[in-house]
Amino acid sequence: MTTIEGNLQAQRQRLAQACQQFGRDVTAVTLLAVSKTFGAQAVVEAMAAGQQAFGENYIQEGVDKIVALRASHPEATVQWHCIGPIQSNKTRLVAEHFDWVQSLDRIKIAQRLSEQRPGHLAPLQVCLQVNVDGGANKSGVTPEALPALAAAVAQLPGLRLRGLMCIPEPAPDFDSQRALFLRCTALFDALRQQQGAQVDTLSMGMSDDLEAAVAAGATMVRVGRGVFGARPAKA
């Protein structure tokens, strides 16, 4: 068993325990393995252990990985999620290579992604990133501006609105973490009422606060360090 395989087993068990503890169906919560800064071989090891959904924060690094792995493993059924900020000059790369975008927070970027999504591909699945706690250093649309952005994104032909993503500031304990996530859950519930059943994805929680996110209703948790280990130091 590789280290990554063992880590994945441990994180799946952790997720299953959290679901049991908080009355959730474990099949309703997806584990997204965040592979940023790790090479293609690490992803191959995770794929061999049954992992099919991967998140990338850095667009060019992610695209290089996607292209290499689609060439070396054309039979693999892998989903690639862009979970980092998107600048205007990177939208074409995202539209042409990723399956999901979880970090959408501006209509300009949404319009470019829709226009640049190749016609032979399915619509880009998108979550709107919402800044639930007003953190000054966090990306995300404000809760007040969310309904208008969601309504506009839902009309774009190259995109399919699937839900919300949030990255609140770190909180010191479980109750504080859960309280922050519940803000996003309330916005998610309101969005479902606005847009209907196609809104089915609430992406929140990472290695340090997975349990609180599950307790608050997350349908996807994003785990990097817990799967791949400590990230390599930057040169």
Side-chain angles (χ1 to χ4, degrees), residues 42-127:
V43 177
V44 169
E45 291 180 26
M47 289 164 55
Q51 182 64 27
Q52 294 184 313
F54 295 90
E56 290 285 332
N57 292 66
Y58 308 125
I59 292 169
Q60 187 60 63
E61 176 196 323
V63 168
D64 291 344
K65 227 174 288 184
I66 292 167
V67 170
L69 289 168
R70 284 179 177 161
S72 63
H73 295 74
E75 76 292 345
T77 55
V78 173
Q79 280 184 358
W80 291 96
H81 295 238
C82 177
I83 59 175
I86 304 173
Q87 297 177 331
S88 295
N89 64 348
K90 299 290 188 180
T91 55
R92 186 173 296 278
L93 284 173
V94 174
E96 291 180 349
H97 295 282
F98 283 87
D99 304 298
W100 283 68
V101 168
Q102 295 196 24
S103 49
L104 188 57
D105 62 2
R106 289 178 288 160
I107 189 59
K108 175 185 176 182
I109 298 300
Q111 290 167 338
R112 290 178 63 89
L113 290 171
S114 178
E115 292 165 359
Q116 295 168 348
R117 184 67 169 173
H120 68 280
L121 295 179
L124 192 61
Q125 312 296 296
V126 299
C127 290

Side-chain angles (χ1 to χ4, degrees), residues 4-233:
I4 289 175
E5 182 181 7
N7 289 346
L8 270 170
Q9 286 190 6
Q11 293 303 313
R12 289 169 182 154
Q13 182 61 32
R14 179 186 175 193
L15 181 58
Q17 289 173 345
C19 288
Q20 182 178 21
Q21 181 178 358
F22 299 111
R24 302 287 309 281
D25 182 349
V26 69
T27 63
V29 187
T30 298
L31 176 66
L32 183 72
V34 179
S35 45
K36 70 176 182 181
T37 74
F38 290 91
Q41 183 55 39
V43 177
V44 169
E45 291 180 26
M47 289 164 55
Q51 182 64 27
Q52 294 184 313
F54 295 90
E56 290 285 332
N57 292 66
Y58 308 125
I59 292 169
Q60 187 60 63
E61 176 196 323
V63 168
D64 291 344
K65 227 174 288 184
I66 292 167
V67 170
L69 289 168
R70 284 179 177 161
S72 63
H73 295 74
E75 76 292 345
T77 55
V78 173
Q79 280 184 358
W80 291 96
H81 295 238
C82 177
I83 59 175
I86 304 173
Q87 297 177 331
S88 295
N89 64 348
K90 299 290 188 180
T91 55
R92 186 173 296 278
L93 284 173
V94 174
E96 291 180 349
H97 295 282
F98 283 87
D99 304 298
W100 283 68
V101 168
Q102 295 196 24
S103 49
L104 188 57
D105 62 2
R106 289 178 288 160
I107 189 59
K108 175 185 176 182
I109 298 300
Q111 290 167 338
R112 290 178 63 89
L113 290 171
S114 178
E115 292 165 359
Q116 295 168 348
R117 184 67 169 173
H120 68 280
L121 295 179
L124 192 61
Q125 312 296 296
V126 299
C127 290
L128 304 181
Q129 182 175 351
V130 60
N131 187 343
V132 293
D133 57 356
N137 297 320
K138 294 293 184 182
S139 301
V141 62
T142 65
E144 295 75 19
L146 176 61
L149 178 62
V153 168
Q155 299 302 312
L156 295 173
L159 308 182
R160 182 185 174 202
L161 179 60
R162 295 292 296 272
L164 299 180
M165 184 267 269
C166 70
I167 312 174
E169 296 288 344
D173 54 55
F174 174 88
D175 289 339
S176 300
Q177 293 167 352
R178 185 180 184 182
L180 286 171
F181 288 135
L182 284 172
R183 296 185 194 178
C184 196
T185 303
L187 295 169
F188 175 73
D189 291 340
L191 182 62
R192 290 201 72 183
Q193 290 185 350
Q194 176 192 13
Q195 295 294 333
Q198 74 168 16
V199 173
D200 58 7
T201 302
L202 180 55
S203 175
M204 57 187 190
M206 297 185 285
S207 293
D208 291 336
D209 50 18
L210 180 153
E211 286 80 8
V214 170
T219 69
M220 183 178 293
V221 292
R222 308 178 304 272
V223 179
R225 185 178 67 254
V227 172
F228 295 103
R231 294 192 181 96

